Amino acid sequence: MIAARIAGLDWARIEAELDAFGCAITGPLLGAEECAGIAGLYDREEGFRSRIVMARHGFGRGEYKYFAAPLPTPVAALREGFWPYLAPVANRWNEAMSLAPRFPGRHAEFLARCHAAGQTRPTPLLLRYEAGDYNCLHQDLYGEHVFPLQVAVLLSEPGRDFTGGEFVLTEQRPRMQSRAEVVPLAQGEGVIFAVHHRPVSGTRGTYRVNMRHGVSRLRSGRRHTLGVIFHDAA
């Protein structure tokens, strides 16, 4: 069912927005009950490989947990479902930026490449923010093999469950001031965005711009987000 929803997204619009801005909102991916079910996993001990308290590492405030293998069914379905649509974009971007890696047609083949290089730990994660929490601008790289796009799905309902806590992207172009992008999401919607670099056409050809993402300060309530990263970690 999740695969069918992904297939039904407006992929022409999504690709155009990714090329123009480095991010694109998917539209509805998960229903309210599905969002609540995934968010509810956070309080369980089983099913996760580690818990990170951001303040301890200077990452911001809040916390998150990395899922252990095997991934929960909806998380695995999102990873698998997005791959056939995002891999061609990633290949086109890498070609434009003169980067060597190319990505295969099946996500399992790419994971095998990661695992052969020692990147064996699952990276999909569940994040929790309370009032006053935030996530500093960062990049989710984790090792030599990096897939250049990832997806974040908002599991909480803005205005009811929390206020503030906007998803934020910054773009740093050579010899130019940084540009910020604030992404408004509804519950169950995802944002697809660049992990590290994206190509931009200029007067002297195509060049790379550096992308970072984070979350602004939560004003009230509690916010859960699902992060879907396609490369595994060393």
Side-chain angles (χ1 to χ4, degrees):
M1 184 178 292
I2 288 176
R5 292 177 210 164
I6 293 172
L9 297 176
D10 185 351
W11 281 103
R13 173 192 62 79
I14 289 171
E15 287 196 32
E17 291 184 3
L18 286 172
D19 287 343
F21 308 112
C23 65
I25 297 174
T26 62
L29 285 173
L30 301 175
E33 290 187 4
E34 291 171 308
C35 289
I38 296 172
L41 297 175
Y42 198 91
D43 291 321
R44 301 183 182 181
E45 294 294 331
E46 67 276 8
F48 296 96
R49 64 174 177 86
S50 64
R51 170 176 171 263
I52 305 297
V53 177
M54 295 188 205
R56 295 176 183 169
H57 306 277
F59 296 164
R61 279 181 52 182
E63 59 182 64
Y64 53 90
K65 291 181 175 182
Y66 288 105
F67 288 103
L71 298 174
T73 299
V75 179
L78 287 166
R79 228 182 183 198
E80 291 291 333
F82 271 111
W83 183 264
Y85 301 94
L86 296 184
V89 177
N91 285 332
R92 180 164 54 79
W93 279 15
N94 274 10
E95 182 176 2
M97 294 185 290
S98 300
L99 296 174
R102 297 294 183 269
F103 302 98
R106 295 177 59 248
H107 185 236
E109 295 176 38
F110 176 62
L111 285 184
R113 185 187 303 174
C114 291
H115 295 175
Q119 294 178 219
T120 59
R121 297 184 296 167
T123 50
L125 68 163
L126 193 53
L127 303 101
R128 172 182 285 178
Y129 301 92
E130 308 277 359
D133 291 348
Y134 60 93
N135 197 347
C136 295
L137 296 169
H138 65 283
Q139 299 168 326
D140 297 311
L141 301 178
Y142 298 119
E144 174 189 359
H145 295 281
V146 175
F147 188 70
L149 293 156
Q150 68 188 72
V151 183
V153 182
L154 182 61
L155 303 176
S156 305
E157 184 177 332
R160 183 195 69 184
D161 298 327
F162 71 96
T163 60
E166 295 87 358
F167 184 88
V168 179
L169 283 162
T170 63
E171 175 182 276
Q172 185 177 8
R173 301 189 183 192
R175 298 175 299 281
M176 296 176 66
Q177 293 183 326
S178 296
R179 183 182 71 88
E181 182 95 9
V182 178
V183 182
L185 294 173
Q187 184 182 37
E189 283 190 324
V191 54
I192 306 168
F193 57 97
V195 174
H196 190 195
H197 296 122
R198 76 176 186 92
V200 172
S201 296
T203 55
R204 298 182 180 179
T206 300
Y207 60 95
R208 306 175 198 174
V209 299
N210 194 48
M211 305 290 294
R212 296 182 183 273
H213 65 278
V215 173
S216 69
R217 178 168 55 90
L218 210 71
R219 304 284 178 167
S220 65
R222 174 180 284 178
R223 178 189 192 273
H224 286 97
T225 307
L226 171 65
V228 181
I229 300 166
F230 295 89
H231 46 275
D232 279 350

